[in-house]
């Protein structure tokens, strides 16, 4: 009978087995004078070689790709895998391989930090620089808050001194009860003929109503109802922030960090719709 030329020979030199697969999928061996065929060959997952049942294990075919790092010591019927870390005598029953340096370690040294992995990525200096920059920003913000508090304290003292003068000259709605009146030195927009004017408003009014009243008292053009026009806004005398139109004066007088003061200052200016405040309040107020 003619020999079947299917499959591949086992790659162990001393072995005559040749492997292949029949359509039926059953495992058979056909002996001949020259070689024997094994119809279920095995492929080594390390070196990729084809081997018969007898030589399928790496040890059986002396696998060329079996790394030294996987070297094991046999004690009885168990294989022990020694740790590669310097001076460590630890051994494991199963291989523990570092995915970075591909060396074997015991459980105590399995992490990169623990075995001082040669491929461990050291934190880049720029990360340290970034942390320092963030810290400086935080410290600068804290310093700014302190300056605002100190400025607020000085403004409170100045407001008490100025209040008596404002009461003598301030313009406002004469029908307001004395208990509701809140006095301010209002600094007008840069292009106004007068730089500032003393005024009083009701503490119960919203900022929007205060703006309307101040514009009327100072004869300023008020286009706040025109969508595309610049808006007349009240701004904080220390921070320059534009005050929210729906906030009330009484809430702003009680603000915990940057309050307004009865007898203090306010800035009135035309701002673009996207603008959130003034960059430099000293352009309006020399001494706050």
């Amino acid at each position: 009978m003619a020999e079947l030329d299917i499959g591949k020979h086992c790659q162990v030199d001393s072995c005559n087995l040749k492997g292949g697969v029949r359509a039926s999928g059953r495992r058979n061996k056909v002996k001949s004078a020259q070689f024997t065929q094994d119809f279920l060959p095995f492929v080594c997952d390390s070196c990729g070689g084809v081997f018969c049942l007898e030589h399928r294990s790496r040890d059986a075919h002396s696998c060329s790709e079996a790394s030294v790092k996987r070297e094991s010591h046999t004690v009885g019927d168990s294989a022990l895998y020694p740790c590669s870390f310097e001076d460590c005598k630890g051994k494991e029953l199963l291989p523990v391989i570092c995915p970075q340096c591909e060396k074997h370690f015991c459980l105590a040294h399995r992490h990169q930090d623990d075995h001082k992995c040669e491929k461990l990525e050291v934190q880049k200096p720029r990360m340290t620089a970034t942390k320092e920059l963030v810290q400086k920003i935080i410290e600068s913000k804290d310093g700014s808050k302190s300056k605002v508090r100190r400025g607020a304290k000085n403004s409170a003292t100045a407001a008490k001194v100025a209040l008596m003068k404002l009461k003598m000259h301030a313009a406002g709605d004469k029908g307001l009860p004395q208990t509701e009146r809140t006095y301010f030195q209002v600094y007008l927009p840069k292009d106004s003929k007068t730089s500032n004017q003393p005024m009083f408003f009701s503490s119960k009014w919203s900022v929007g109503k205060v703006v309307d009243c101040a514009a009327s008292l100072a004869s300023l053009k008020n286009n706040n109802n025109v969508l595309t026009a610049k808006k007349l806004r009240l701004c904080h005398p220390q921070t320059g922030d534009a005050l929210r139109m729906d906030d009330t004066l009484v809430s702003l007088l009680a603000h915990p960090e940057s309050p307004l003061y009865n007898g203090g200052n306010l800035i009135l200016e035309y701002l673009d719709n996207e603008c959130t405040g003034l960059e430099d309040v000293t352009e309006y107020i020399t001494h706050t």
Side-chain angles (χ1 to χ4, degrees):
M1 183 179 68
E3 295 177 359
L4 295 176
D5 187 17
I6 57 176
K8 293 183 179 181
H9 283 289
C10 174
Q11 293 184 354
V12 175
D13 294 337
S14 59
C15 181
N16 288 324
L17 289 183
K18 182 179 183 184
V21 179
R22 282 185 175 178
S24 64
R26 292 176 299 177
R27 186 169 181 272
N28 295 281
K29 290 184 179 180
V30 180
K31 293 183 179 179
S32 70
Q34 297 179 347
F35 58 85
T36 303
Q37 290 181 327
D38 188 332
F39 292 99
L40 280 181
F42 298 89
V43 179
C44 176
D45 57 0
S46 293
C47 64
V50 177
F51 302 96
C52 64
L53 176 65
E54 181 181 353
H55 298 114
R56 71 184 187 281
S57 68
R58 286 189 289 268
D59 291 338
H61 64 261
S62 301
C63 183
S64 59
E65 297 298 323
S67 177
V68 176
K69 64 177 178 287
R70 299 178 184 269
E71 179 184 356
S72 64
H73 298 285
T74 303
V75 178
D77 294 332
S78 300
L80 298 179
Y81 296 83
C83 179
S84 300
F85 188 66
E86 185 179 1
D87 297 331
C88 179
K89 298 181 179 179
K91 297 180 179 64
E92 301 297 337
L93 292 175
L94 295 174
V96 181
I97 309 298
C98 172
Q100 304 302 324
C101 64
E102 298 184 348
K103 294 181 181 180
H104 175 81
F105 298 96
C106 63
L107 293 178
H109 296 118
R110 67 186 184 278
H111 298 300
Q112 283 185 285
D113 290 335
D114 296 329
H115 64 259
K116 299 178 181 178
C117 184
E118 59 192 25
K119 295 188 178 181
L120 177 64
E121 293 186 4
V122 181
Q123 188 180 41
K124 297 180 180 180
R126 66 178 181 181
M127 295 301 294
T128 304
T130 302
K131 289 183 178 179
E132 292 177 355
L133 178 59
V134 171
Q135 185 62 31
K136 287 181 180 179
I137 293 174
I138 294 173
E139 291 174 355
S140 66
K141 287 185 176 180
D142 292 340
S144 298
K145 290 182 179 179
S146 299
K147 290 179 181 178
V148 169
R149 293 191 187 99
R150 289 196 297 269
K153 187 175 181 180
N154 294 336
S155 297
T157 304
K160 290 179 181 179
V161 175
L163 182 58
M164 294 304 296
K165 293 181 180 180
L166 288 175
K167 286 183 177 181
M168 296 174 60
H169 304 288
D173 184 355
K174 303 298 182 181
L176 288 176
Q178 291 290 339
T179 54
E180 289 185 15
R181 295 186 184 187
T182 307
Y183 295 81
F184 295 98
Q185 188 71 36
V186 181
Y187 288 81
L188 304 179
K190 290 180 180 179
D191 57 354
S192 301
K193 294 181 180 179
T194 306
S195 63
N196 58 79
Q197 185 175 335
M199 302 179 186
F200 66 85
F201 314 98
S202 171
S203 59
K204 296 181 180 180
W205 286 358
S206 67
V207 170
K209 188 170 182 179
V210 171
V211 169
D212 292 339
C213 180
S216 177
L217 292 172
S219 301
L220 297 174
K221 190 175 182 179
N222 186 358
N223 290 326
N224 284 6
N225 60 339
V226 179
L227 183 62
T228 57
K230 284 188 174 183
K231 302 299 187 291
L232 196 57
R233 300 293 299 273
L234 274 181
C235 300
H236 196 284
Q238 275 87 42
T239 65
D241 295 335
L243 304 177
R244 291 175 46 178
M245 300 295 264
D246 55 348
D247 282 345
T248 60
L249 281 182
V250 67
S251 67
L252 295 171
L253 291 167
H255 195 280
E257 292 185 0
S258 52
L260 298 179
Y261 296 99
N262 187 12
N265 300 317
L266 277 177
I267 302 174
L268 195 61
E269 183 58 276
Y270 295 101
L271 300 178
D272 291 327
N273 292 327
E274 298 80 11
C275 187
T276 59
L278 303 172
E279 293 183 0
D280 187 4
V281 297
T282 60
E283 295 180 358
Y284 301 84
I285 309 172
T286 305
H287 302 288
T288 57

